[in-house]
């Protein structure tokens, strides 16, 4: 079943082609001129709608940046570019990286990778799978090492929730959910700040300068700790158990377990199923019936983060909720939708934190809606899923492949010709809710 407009699908493929830098795809030219981790996972699924080889290559290029300890960094700097700060020189990750590998950042990002790998694998006919089994198995092993890294490095106390040490690791960089935790981070930096982002897009859509000082303070702190997971954990001034990251990891763990019969072995399948169970139990403990959402936890002060953001619904991606929990979550989502024109916003309009155009403080993201759609399919809420899908596609067909959309007017914001928005269009126009959310 393919819906959507053929010309828009062609245009989506053209965006991916234009952002292709030879086997990896930049999120958008200039503003983000390198390979970003979760962007590439979404992009691989977009490529899989017509070119599985290219989809595998996207993941392989990302895995080239993987560290010997299993971490897959949030940015891989395959080639230099002068249009982005902080570039490779700021991170100082040489001692942790693979010798001869590309330069990378020192942080990570939401692990959509294994979900993308399963998607690509399942999109291939049997003959193609036979021919590409070795490549897929290499990616399976990269994902397995990364998942083990998450559990060891980011949940040392075995709580079932993984923590992020920088807001950039959440992928929802500027979310108001991090405001209180970031306010405790000092603004002193040893690295001179040379912001480039505000030269590419309207400063009103980007973080403030003082926020940037805090982001770089964190980078300086972890670089001084040699990017060693244990030392970072010990010195981190920002440590948040995030439900969006944990939910993505739980779902990706389930997807990796599903791949283990073809690409791994039984022991790994058992290990992954056990890992998935613990993550799901950790997530379930963060459900707050009075709010109708899941909440994160600030480990620095031992307090929940109740700020209303889309992240509170992402656990549907991994959990099979009971009827009353699911009804409460979907009722809350429906309330958020009623206040805006299209798509589930990253912050509800009725929240004091809502800003229609500043990134992660209100705008609609196509990939966020995509994750929520998969979660709604999983929980049998096909009507609401269809509403999100139709709203996301309508936003794109009206404003193009923007980085994000104003939930009140539908206008595009941030960068344009954005790769993951194009990938979302390609996948969402093919998605079949009856076939376990994978298109073919
Ligand atoms: C922004 C987003 C992040 C994304 C990156 C590249 O930093 O917050 O999620 O990966 O842009 O698109």
């Amino acid at each position: 079943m393919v819906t959507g407009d053929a010309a828009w699908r062609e245009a989506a493929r053209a965006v991916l082609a234009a952002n292709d830098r030879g086997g990896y795809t930049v999120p958008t030219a200039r503003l983000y001129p390198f390979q970003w981790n979760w962007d590439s996972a979404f992009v691989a699924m977009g490529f899989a709608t017509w070119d599985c080889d290219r989809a595998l290559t996207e993941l392989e290029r990302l895995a080239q940046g993987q560290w010997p300890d299993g971490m897959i960094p949030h940015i891989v700097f395959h080639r230099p570019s002068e249009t982005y700060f902080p570039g490779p020189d700021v991170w100082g990750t040489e001692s942790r990286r693979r010798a001869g590998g590309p330069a990378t950042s020192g942080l990570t990002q939401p692990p959509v990778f294994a979900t993308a790998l399963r998607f690509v694998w399942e999109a291939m006919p049997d003959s193609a799978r036979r021919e590409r089994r070795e490549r897929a198995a290499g990616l399976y092993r990269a994902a397995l090492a990364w998942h083990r890294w998450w559990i060891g490095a980011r949940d040392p106390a075995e709580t079932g929730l993984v923590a992020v040490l920088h807001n950039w690791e959440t992928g929802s960089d500027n979310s108001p959910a991090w405001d209180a935790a970031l306010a405790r981070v000092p603004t002193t930096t040893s690295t001179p700040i040379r912001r480039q982002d505000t030269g590419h897009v309207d400063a009103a859509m980007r973080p403030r300068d003082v926020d940037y000082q805090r982001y770089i303070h964190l980078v300086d702190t972890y670089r001084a700790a040699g990017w060693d997971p244990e030392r970072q954990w010990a010195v981190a001034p920002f440590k948040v158990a995030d439900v969006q990251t944990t939910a993505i990891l739980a779902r990706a763990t389930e997807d990796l377990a599903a791949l283990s019969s073809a690409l791994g072995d039984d022991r790994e399948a058992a290990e992954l199923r056990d890992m998935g169970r613990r993550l799901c139990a950790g997530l379930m403990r963060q459900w707050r019936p009075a709010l109708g959402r899941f909440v994160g936890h600030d480990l620095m002060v031992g307090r929940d983060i109740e700020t209303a953001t889309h992240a509170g619904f992402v656990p549907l991606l991994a959990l099979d909720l009971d009827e009353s929990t699911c009804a409460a979550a979907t009722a809350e989502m429906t309330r958020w939708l009623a206040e805006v024109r299209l798509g589930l916003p990253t912050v509800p309009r009725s929240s004091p934190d809502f800003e229609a155009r500043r990134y992660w403080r209100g705008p609609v993201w196509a990939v966020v809606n995509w994750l929520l759609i998969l979660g709604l399919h999983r929980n049998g809420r096909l009507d609401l899923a269809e509403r999100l899908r139709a709203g996301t596609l309508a936003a794109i067909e009206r404003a193009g492949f923007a980085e994000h959309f104003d939930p009140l007017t539908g206008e595009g914001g941030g960068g344009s010709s954005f790769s993951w928005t194009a990938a979302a269009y390609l996948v969402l126009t093919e998605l079949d809710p009856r076939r376990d959310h994978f298109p073919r």
Side-chain angles (χ1 to χ4, degrees):
M1 179 188 68
V2 176
T3 57
D5 184 88
W8 276 103
R9 287 177 61 80
E10 196 47 49
R13 286 192 280 266
V15 167
L16 295 186
N19 290 337
D20 188 345
R21 295 291 179 270
Y24 71 94
T25 310
V26 298
T28 185
R30 291 185 301 282
L31 181 62
Y32 300 115
F34 306 108
Q35 186 175 22
W36 258 259
N37 187 324
W38 74 325
D39 295 65
S40 271
F42 289 112
V43 161
M45 294 191 263
F47 275 123
T49 62
W50 88 97
D51 184 348
C52 285
D53 268 322
R54 181 60 187 79
L56 289 172
T57 306
E58 186 75 27
L59 297 175
E60 285 166 344
R61 294 304 298 269
L62 186 64
Q64 283 176 356
Q66 183 167 38
W67 288 8
D69 69 4
M71 197 270 277
I72 303 188
H74 101 291
I75 308 174
V76 183
F77 301 107
H78 292 288
R79 270 194 269 160
S81 166
E82 285 304 311
T83 65
Y84 181 82
F85 174 84
D89 48 319
V90 174
W91 294 93
T93 54
E94 295 78 3
S95 64
R96 305 285 306 179
R97 291 191 327 240
R98 199 161 27 216
T104 71
S105 76
L107 303 171
T108 191
Q109 248 192 345
V112 181
F113 189 95
T115 296
L117 178 60
R118 180 178 179 190
F119 188 102
V120 178
W121 181 253
E122 295 194 352
M124 290 193 281
D126 285 346
S127 57
R129 286 188 198 168
R130 270 194 301 278
E131 279 165 31
R132 292 163 187 80
R133 194 187 165 281
E134 267 322 296
R135 291 178 67 191
L139 292 168
Y140 166 90
R141 284 191 294 275
L144 180 62
W146 192 21
H147 286 219
R148 286 173 174 158
W149 175 88
W150 270 108
I151 299 300
R154 297 309 181 81
D155 185 21
E158 299 183 10
T159 65
L161 296 173
V162 291
V164 290
L165 304 185
H166 195 299
N167 51 310
W168 287 344
E169 294 196 315
T170 67
S172 307
D173 303 16
N174 201 34
S175 169
W178 324 132
D179 286 356
L182 279 171
R184 292 189 301 266
V185 173
T187 55
T188 48
T189 61
S190 50
T191 302
I193 298 184
R194 293 176 280 109
R195 282 186 79 168
Q196 306 266 8
D197 56 327
T198 45
H200 306 305
V201 299
D202 184 352
M205 297 181 193
R206 301 290 303 178
R208 299 165 307 163
D209 279 345
V210 61
D211 300 321
Y212 241 84
Q213 286 165 289
R214 296 194 163 99
Y215 306 163
I216 298 302
H217 178 95
L218 292 173
V219 172
D220 289 344
T221 305
Y222 304 141
R223 189 184 53 233
W227 298 107
D228 173 78
E230 275 178 42
R231 286 170 63 201
Q232 280 179 263
W233 189 265
V235 300
F238 178 100
K239 205 183 283 177
V240 168
D242 177 34
V243 285
Q244 171 167 276
T245 308
T246 303
I248 288 172
L249 181 64
R251 172 55 177 264
T253 299
E254 179 186 333
D255 291 327
L256 204 54
L259 288 171
S260 59
S261 56
L263 304 174
D265 65 36
D266 291 349
R267 259 204 332 245
E268 289 159 2
E271 175 191 346
L272 288 164
R273 278 196 296 270
D274 188 49
M275 191 188 283
R277 266 194 297 273
R278 276 180 286 126
L279 293 167
C280 288
L283 284 171
M284 217 43 240
R285 280 194 294 276
Q286 297 307 109
W287 168 250
R288 296 293 174 268
L291 299 174
R293 332 178 237 111
F294 294 81
V295 299
H297 192 73
D298 187 333
L299 296 170
M300 299 303 292
V301 290
R303 266 202 303 271
D304 282 346
I305 301 175
E306 295 195 344
T307 314
T309 76
H310 70 277
F313 306 115
V314 178
L316 271 72
L317 191 57
L319 299 174
D320 298 312
L321 297 178
D322 64 46
E323 187 47 39
S324 72
T325 308
C326 191
T330 51
E332 182 63 8
M333 290 172 87
T334 306
R335 269 193 289 279
W336 292 26
L337 284 170
E339 300 173 347
V340 298
R341 180 165 164 171
L342 41 81
L344 196 104
T346 39
V347 171
R349 184 184 189 173
S350 47
S351 158
D353 297 315
F354 178 80
E355 292 182 66
R357 295 180 68 74
R358 197 184 292 276
Y359 97 146
W360 297 110
R361 291 178 179 264
V364 170
W365 253 263
V367 291
V368 164
N369 278 265
W370 176 357
L371 293 176
L372 296 173
I373 289 164
L374 297 186
L376 290 166
H377 285 175
R378 167 177 212 133
N379 283 281
R381 295 301 204 269
L382 303 192
D383 289 351
L384 190 53
E386 182 52 27
R387 191 166 160 194
L388 293 191
R389 193 183 79 100
T392 307
L393 297 178
I396 295 171
E397 289 174 3
R398 186 176 180 283
F401 301 103
E403 184 174 7
H404 45 74
F405 303 89
D406 182 324
L408 305 181
T409 64
E411 265 169 82
S416 55
S417 298
F418 227 84
S419 296
W420 66 9
T421 310
Y425 191 86
L426 289 167
V427 171
L428 292 180
T429 47
E430 274 201 19
L431 211 55
D432 181 349
R434 289 157 309 181
R435 300 207 49 194
D436 194 24
H437 47 252
F438 291 101
R440 268 152 245 224

